[in-house]
Amino acid sequence: MKATILNIAVAASFAAGAAAQPHHHGHHHHKRGTPVEKREVETTYLPATVTQYMLGNEEVSADEAKDGLDKGLYIVVGETTPTYTAPPAPVVTSSSSKEDAVFIQKVTSSSSSAVTSSTSTSTSSAAVATSSASSYPTSGATGVDAEFPDGEIKCVDFPEKYGAVPLDYLGLGGWSGLQFTPSYSIGDLAISYIETGVKGMSKQKGFYSYACPEGYVKTQWPTAQGSTRQSVGGLLCNSDGFLELSRPESKTLCEKGVGGVSVKNDMAKNVAICRTDYPGIEAMVIPVDAQPGTTRDIANIASADYYHWGDLATTLQYYVNQPGVSVEDGCKWDCAEDHDECGNWAPTILGVGKALDGNTYISLFPNKPTSSAKPRMNINITGDVSIQCYYQDGAYAVGDSGCTTTIPSNGKAVIHFTDA
């Protein structure tokens, strides 16, 4: 897990419009989706995550970072989240860990919320002009299947009419994430300067990410990605303040996943399931709210046909919160309540993706070492599954590090939540 924390002593200078300082966070990047070697034994693929906290260019211990966050001395301004590529059959054990980091910055009581993380020495561009008037084309739209009118909608108008789902609780104008890239030009091979937008910042040139309806995923991300391996995703807000398709071969904003995976909640409390916004800011902000007595679809992708991190296929990752946590509280980095068992510290993670062999791989594993929390419910993956995979009565199937199961092409899996 990689995220950025800010020192409040310098936050005021950021808020005052001083040039953003570079943060090169290319150190210790994990290899997303590294294939796992075949073995003769049939065991279980156990993804692991090592969390690294960065303050400027210096690594901060987990205890110091947590203490600073708890006391309000630090704020998180950026993060990266590991994804995995499902291993080929038979599923095998992996002892490799994924090193990511949390970028933090110290803050002061007088500092503005408009602090940023950056990856270049370039200065910030002027804010894109804003307007309260709607810029939607007069022809209207028909929802998720409507083709997006390239370059015709202002960046201040969230494109809900074209299927995007606003996440108002994040305070970003409905967007799931903002990555300001003032020096980017179409045709660039990489993006060297990226500011992570936060609540209260003026809208600027860059990439505006968004959520899609349940079972759907976004289609937009540029060919150029971060020069130090950051992922970048969303519509392009251009210098004139209008939204452009960043992946113009996809005319709609959302596409339906390959399906086959759902969640069923048989408890009296809801379960907030939060997918990482990837490619993009990689925070766990894309919500599925499994209310009591309901069955909800979760998105599943054919990994080979979706976003690639470098030359590696990726999968989808969901943070599963404790029962009763709202999506408004749980589907963001830090929670107002129950900090140690919510949001980034949610107790367990689901990984989902369809591999080239036609099987969908579903992993259930603890959110270690970030969180020591344990789910206060039972979680059982049922349906056309290859092996049992569950968390039940305080233990995961197979071992303490979790489990992975598969369903065949056209198979179905239900992730079942019940009272412990």
Side-chain angles (χ1 to χ4, degrees):
M1 175 76 57
K2 179 173 285 186
T4 310
I5 55 179
L6 285 178
N7 184 321
I8 63 177
V10 299
S13 66
F14 277 100
Q21 298 302 308
H23 173 72
H24 302 289
H25 57 115
H27 319 296
H28 308 299
H29 272 285
H30 67 279
K31 294 184 178 180
R32 288 183 178 87
T34 303
V36 181
E37 178 186 359
K38 287 187 177 181
R39 307 279 176 85
E40 293 299 320
V41 295
E42 181 173 330
T43 54
T44 303
Y45 175 65
L46 305 176
T49 303
V50 174
T51 302
Q52 185 183 25
Y53 294 86
M54 303 297 295
L55 177 60
N57 289 327
E58 300 297 325
E59 184 173 354
V60 176
S61 73
D63 289 342
E64 179 183 346
K66 183 178 183 299
D67 185 61
L69 290 167
D70 289 344
K71 293 179 179 178
L73 301 176
Y74 299 155
I75 58 171
V76 176
V77 298
E79 61 188 288
T80 64
T81 304
T83 61
Y84 74 96
T85 294
V91 186
V92 300
T93 301
S94 169
S95 60
S96 63
S97 63
K98 302 177 175 69
E99 282 190 306
D100 294 87
V102 175
F103 300 109
I104 57 181
Q105 200 171 33
K106 291 183 182 177
V107 294
T108 60
S109 57
S110 61
S111 67
S112 164
S113 62
V115 293
T116 63
S117 66
S118 62
T119 56
S120 169
T121 56
S122 303
T123 57
S124 175
S125 66
V128 171
T130 61
S131 170
S132 60
S134 174
S135 62
Y136 280 106
T138 56
S139 60
T142 58
V144 72
D145 295 322
E147 291 192 2
F148 185 75
D150 199 14
E152 298 181 30
I153 294 178
K154 291 180 180 178
C155 302
V156 294
D157 289 329
F158 185 81
E160 186 173 3
K161 294 181 180 179
Y162 296 88
V165 177
L167 304 181
D168 294 331
Y169 60 89
L170 296 178
L172 301 176
W175 304 101
S176 59
L178 301 171
Q179 294 174 293
F180 300 140
T181 56
S183 59
Y184 168 77
S185 297
I186 294 175
D188 286 353
L189 298 179
I191 303 173
S192 60
Y193 181 94
I194 301 171
E195 292 179 310
T196 301
V198 296
K199 183 178 180 180
M201 291 185 70
S202 298
K203 299 297 187 294
Q204 303 173 28
K205 177 184 175 182
F207 293 90
Y208 290 34
S209 191
Y210 53 90
C212 289
E214 292 174 12
Y216 285 75
V217 291
K218 73 183 177 192
T219 62
Q220 298 302 306
W221 57 83
T223 299
Q225 294 286 290
S227 59
T228 51
R229 307 300 296 274
Q230 314 95 313
S231 74
V232 179
L235 290 164
L236 172 64
C237 175
N238 65 26
S239 299
D240 296 322
F242 286 85
L243 296 168
E244 297 181 16
L245 295 170
S246 57
R247 190 167 164 251
E249 61 267 31
S250 295
K251 303 299 183 184
T252 61
L253 298 187
C254 302
E255 65 183 11
K256 193 169 181 61
V258 296
V261 185
S262 60
V263 296
K264 182 180 181 182
N265 183 7
D266 278 339
M267 299 185 298
K269 296 181 179 180
N270 77 297
V271 178
I273 306 161
C274 312
R275 176 159 50 89
T276 52
D277 185 13
Y278 187 72
I281 63 168
E282 304 183 23
M284 59 298 290
V285 297
I286 310 296
V288 173
D289 191 7
Q291 286 291 322
T294 63
T295 298
R296 313 297 290 265
D297 289 335
I298 64 171
N300 179 21
I301 55 169
S303 294
D305 299 328
Y306 198 62
Y307 173 79
H308 279 59
W309 187 78
D311 58 354
L312 300 174
T314 59
T315 58
L316 303 182
Q317 184 165 293
Y318 296 84
Y319 284 63
V320 182
N321 285 280
Q322 299 285 21
V325 175
S326 69
V327 295
E328 292 82 5
D329 203 24
C331 291
K332 55 187 179 183
W333 172 265
D334 202 359
C335 302
E337 300 180 8
D338 204 11
H339 164 85
D340 291 337
E341 299 193 3
C342 181
N344 181 61
W345 291 267
T348 195
I349 296 175
L350 281 166
V352 179
K354 186 175 183 178
L356 284 173
D357 62 8
N359 292 317
T360 288
Y361 289 76
I362 308 171
S363 291
L364 178 67
F365 54 98
N367 185 16
K368 291 183 177 180
T370 302
S371 175
S372 60
K374 294 184 177 181
R376 295 195 290 267
M377 59 183 164
N378 293 328
I379 307 171
N380 190 16
I381 304 175
T382 63
D384 304 320
V385 296
S386 59
I387 62 171
Q388 287 188 322
C389 185
Y390 56 77
Y391 177 86
Q392 188 170 326
D393 298 329
Y396 289 90
V398 182
D400 292 341
S401 297
C403 52
T404 296
T405 191
T406 67
I407 57 173
S409 182
N410 299 319
K412 302 291 183 184
V414 178
I415 300 162
H416 196 192
F417 302 130
T418 58
D419 289 320

